[in-house]
Amino acid sequence: MSEKKTLAGIAKLIMGVAGFWIAVALVLPWMQTLPVIRPVMDIIIAADLDANQYFYTQSEETFTAQSHMRSGIRRSEQ
Amino acid sequence: MSGQSRQPEIVVDQAKWEWSELYKKEDWWAIWLGIIILIVGLIIFLPRPPADMDQKIAQAQRTMQAEDARAPFHTLEWHRANDSFSGLRARNESHGKTIAKWLATPARWASNPMEALILTEARAAEIREGAKEKHAAAQEKTKAALAQAEADQAAAANAAFQNTELNKKAEGSISQWRSARSAESRARSQTGTQAYNKIPYLFGIGVIFMLFFAAGTTVMNINTANFIKGFGFVFLLAIISEIIGANSTLRSWGFGPLIWAILGGMLIANTIGTPQFIKDAAQTEYFIKTGLVLLGAEILFGKILAIGLPGIFVAWVVTPTVLVLTYIFGQKVLKMESKTLNITVSSDMCVCGVSAAIATAAACRATKEELTIAIGMSMLFTAIMMIALPTFIVSVGMHPVLGGAWIGGTIDSTGAVVAAGAFLGETGMFVAATIKMIQNIMIGAIAFGVAVYWCAKVDCVEGQTVKKMEIWYRFPKFVLGFIAASVVFSIMIEAMGARGDVMLDQGVLRGFSRPCREWFFILAFASIGLTSNFREMAKHFTGGKPVILYVCGQSLNLALTLLMAYIMFFLVFPDITASL
C-alpha cells in the first residue's frame, strides 16, 4: 500500500471511530431522554436488566420464570 | 500445512466421503473440541454438588407444592422456597467461581472504560461507601414491604383464600416486597464491591484458546504459525468489543459486543486493511461451528414444557409458519437473488435473532456479509421493538399475559424480551421470557431442517434428484454435533430431574460451556469483521430487499403471534391465564 493510501486509510479509521463515539456518547444517551423512550429505559436501568443477552441461558430471568410458570400451570390443573 | 491458506467465503465440502475428514475438516474439529469442553465441564461439576443439595431440593419442592395447593397465588413461603431452590447452583461453589473468574468478560462501566479491566481499591472503596446509604434505605423499604405482605397474606389466609379482593391485595403486596427485595439485593452487592484486575485472566484465557484452536490448524489447511501470530490481534479486537459492549448505555439498548466486533473489524478491514497473517487467524467458520456445538448443549427440550400447551402453540406453530412464509415471500415476491440471505434473515427475524442467524447461516453456508446483514438488522429492529411494543401494549391496556406472550414471540433477543416484558410487570416479564426460551429451543430443529433442505433441494442443479448418500456427503457435519449435544444434555437433565437444573443447567452449561461459547462467538464475529468487504455487503442492499423482507416478515409475525396468543391464552386455556 502506498503512503498516500495508508494515510487515507488511517484518516478513514479515525473518522469511523469518531462516528462510533458520537453515537455511543452523545446520540444514544440523548435518545434515552426522549419522552417515548424514557419510561422503558427507566425500568431497564432500575431493574439492572441487560438487553444484550441473545440466548436464554444468558438470562437468569428465564430460569426464575420457568418455576413460576410451572407452578402456575400446576395450580390451574388442581 | 499450506502457506496458501486464504479463508474461503463459504465452507465447501467435497461431494464424497473420506475418513480423513474426521481429522482434517473444521466441521469435525468443531465437534471434537465441543465434546472436549462438555466432557471437561461434566468432570469438573458433576462430582461436586452443593452441600445438602438433595435435602434442600426436596424441602423446597415440598413447600412449593403445598403452597400451590393452599393458595391461588404465590405466597411468601412459596417465594422463599423457590429462592432457596434457585440459589442452589453448582457454579456458585468455589470451583465454579474460579472458572467464572477465568472466563469472565470485561466488567460493566458507565463513564470510565478502564473500569472494564481494572478497578482500584480506592475506587472500589468509593463505590462501597456510596452504596452504604442506598443499601440502608433499601433494607428499610424491604422490611416495611415484608410487614405489609405478611399482614395482607394473613388476612387472605383468615378468609381461607376465598376472598378475591383480599387475595389480590396480598398478591400485590407480595409483588412489591419482591421488587423491594431485588432492589435491596442490588444495593447490597454494590456494598461488597471489590477491587479487580482482569488483564492477567484475559491474557491467560487468550493463550489457552489460542493453543486450543491451534491444535486443529496443524492438520487442517491453515497456516499454524500465522494463526498463532494473528490470534492475538483477533482476541484483542474481541476484548475491545467486549469493553465497548459493557458500556451501561449500550447494554440498555441491546447493542452488545458482537455488533461492535463486526463493526470494529470491518472498519479496520475497509480502511487500513487486514494483514494476511491476521486473516489466517480470523477463522470465522472454525470458531462459529465450535461455538454452535456448545450452543446445542444449551438447547434443552424439557424447557418447552415450562408454559404448557398455550406456550408451545405460540412458539412452535407460529414461528415455523412465519419462517416458511417469509422465505417464500422473499423468493417469489421480492425475488431475492440470494436464497441463503433470505433464509438467514427470515430465521433471525422469527426465531431468536443473533443465535438463530448464526446457526442458520452456518447450516446453509451463507457468506459472512449475509450473516452480518441479518445480525445488524436484527439488533437495530430489536432495539426499536423493545421500546415500541411494551409502550403500545400498556397504552391500549392489554392483559399482561397476552402482552408478554406477544413480546416473547416477536422480539428477537432474550435480553430485549426480558427488558420489554419488565415494563408489563412481573407476570408479563415471566410469560415473555418463557415464550422466548421455548422459541430458542427451536434453533436446533430449524438448523437441521435448513441443512437437509439445502443439501437436497437448493445446492443442486434444478430438476436434479439428489440421492440419500449425496445428502450425507454435502451435509454440514457440525450440525450432527450440535444436535447430538442437544439430545444428550436434554436426556441427562430430564433423567436427573431438579438435580439436573442445579448441576447441569446451573453448573456445566451456565458455569462453563456458555462462557466458552460466548468467547468463541465473539472471536468469530471479530473474524467476520476483519475479513468482510463493504462493497460485497452493499450489493445485497440493492433495492432494500433485506429490509423489506424483515419488515414484512415481522409484520406477519406480529399479527399471527398476537392472534395465536389470544386464542390460546384466552379462548382455549383461560384457566392457565388466570393462574399465572
Side-chain angles (χ1 to χ4, degrees), chain B residues 19 35 70 102 126 190 200 222 272 289 356 483 536 552 578:
Chain B
W19 287 101
I35 288 175
R70 184 169 83 101
W102 278 90
E126 199 182 309
Q190 281 213 317
I222 298 169
I272 53 176
K289 288 172 181 174
I483 300 286
E536 275 296 312
C552 292

Side-chain angles (χ1 to χ4, degrees), chain A residues 78, chain B residues 65-73 75-77 153 157 160-161:
Chain A
Q78 283 168 357
Chain B
Q65 278 173 9
E67 291 300 306
D68 277 340
R70 184 169 83 101
F73 57 87
T75 60
L76 289 162
E77 292 78 9
Q153 185 177 302
F161 296 109

Side-chain angles (χ1 to χ4, degrees), chain B residues 46 53 57 491-501 503-504:
Chain B
L46 282 191
M53 177 181 70
I57 290 174
I491 291 171
M492 281 175 75
I493 209 162
E494 286 310 301
M496 289 172 74
R499 297 178 94 245
D501 284 335
M503 301 302 296
L504 295 178

Side-chain angles (χ1 to χ4, degrees), chain B residues 184-240:
Chain B
E184 187 203 327
S185 161
R186 282 194 296 277
R188 188 176 53 238
S189 70
Q190 281 213 317
T191 61
T193 304
Q194 297 292 322
Y196 54 77
N197 179 1
K198 289 177 179 275
I199 294 172
Y201 296 102
L202 290 170
F203 182 77
I205 206 67
V207 171
I208 291 169
F209 286 154
M210 181 191 73
L211 296 174
F212 184 69
F213 284 110
T217 64
T218 56
V219 285
M220 289 192 285
N221 188 27
I222 298 169
N223 185 320
T224 305
N226 275 356
F227 179 85
I228 289 174
K229 270 194 280 177
F231 186 87
F233 288 89
V234 179
F235 192 69
L236 184 65
L237 179 58
I239 290 176
I240 292 169

Side-chain angles (χ1 to χ4, degrees), chain B residues 135-147:
Chain B
H135 182 223
Q139 271 181 316
E140 285 306 310
K141 266 191 183 172
T142 309
K143 216 183 277 179
L146 178 61

Side-chain angles (χ1 to χ4, degrees), chain B residues 314-384:
Chain B
V314 173
W316 279 62
V317 174
V318 175
T319 305
T321 308
V322 175
L323 173 68
V324 171
L325 291 177
T326 308
Y327 177 71
I328 293 171
F329 176 77
Q331 290 310 121
K332 305 279 180 196
V333 180
L334 293 179
K335 304 208 181 299
M336 289 187 70
E337 290 78 16
S338 168
K339 289 181 179 179
T340 47
L341 175 62
N342 185 357
I343 193 70
T344 307
V345 172
S346 303
S347 143
D348 104 347
M349 178 274 299
C350 65
V351 186
C352 55
V354 174
S355 36
I358 296 171
T360 311
C364 69
R365 297 161 185 179
T367 64
K368 299 179 192 89
E369 285 79 12
E370 289 170 343
L371 178 58
T372 303
I373 288 169
I375 285 172
M377 283 201 306
S378 170
M379 287 199 172
L380 190 63
F381 281 102
T382 297
I384 295 168

Side-chain angles (χ1 to χ4, degrees), chain B residues 6-199:
Chain B
R6 284 174 64 89
Q7 195 183 355
E9 282 297 299
I10 54 169
V11 181
V12 181
D13 280 330
Q14 290 173 348
K16 61 178 181 180
W17 170 259
E18 284 174 8
W19 287 101
S20 61
E21 281 188 15
L22 291 174
Y23 60 91
K24 279 187 176 171
K25 285 280 178 78
E26 67 194 359
D27 274 40
W28 287 101
W29 266 96
I31 294 176
W32 308 138
L33 294 182
I35 288 175
I36 288 171
I37 287 178
L38 292 171
I39 289 175
V40 169
L42 290 169
I43 291 170
I44 293 171
F45 283 93
L46 282 191
R48 299 172 181 84
D52 303 326
M53 177 181 70
D54 291 328
Q55 293 93 310
K56 285 178 183 169
I57 290 174
Q59 176 64 39
Q61 285 182 331
R62 266 198 305 274
T63 307
M64 285 161 75
Q65 278 173 9
E67 291 300 306
D68 277 340
R70 184 169 83 101
F73 57 87
H74 290 145
T75 60
L76 289 162
E77 292 78 9
W78 186 94
H79 280 292
R80 286 186 183 120
N82 189 38
D83 288 345
S84 94
F85 172 66
S86 301
L88 281 172
R89 296 170 181 178
R91 67 189 161 112
N92 281 359
E93 299 299 296
S94 60
H95 55 280
K97 284 180 180 166
T98 306
I99 289 171
K101 197 182 266 187
W102 278 90
L103 291 174
T105 48
R108 198 179 318 174
W109 60 278
S111 54
N112 179 6
M114 272 314 287
E115 284 184 6
L117 299 175
I118 297 171
L119 191 72
T120 61
E121 181 47 42
R123 176 71 183 128
E126 199 182 309
I127 294 171
R128 285 198 298 269
E129 196 54 39
K132 269 185 190 165
E133 202 178 319
K134 208 173 158 189
H135 182 223
Q139 271 181 316
E140 285 306 310
K141 266 191 183 172
T142 309
K143 216 183 277 179
L146 178 61
Q148 184 65 49
E150 281 173 341
D152 289 344
Q153 185 177 302
N158 283 340
F161 296 109
Q162 297 300 313
N163 185 319
T164 317
E165 281 304 307
L166 291 176
N167 288 348
K168 214 171 174 182
K169 197 173 172 207
E171 202 174 1
S173 301
I174 290 171
S175 173
Q176 279 177 4
W177 165 65
R178 299 292 298 167
S179 303
R181 199 172 164 278
S182 300
E184 187 203 327
S185 161
R186 282 194 296 277
R188 188 176 53 238
S189 70
Q190 281 213 317
T191 61
T193 304
Q194 297 292 322
Y196 54 77
N197 179 1
K198 289 177 179 275
I199 294 172

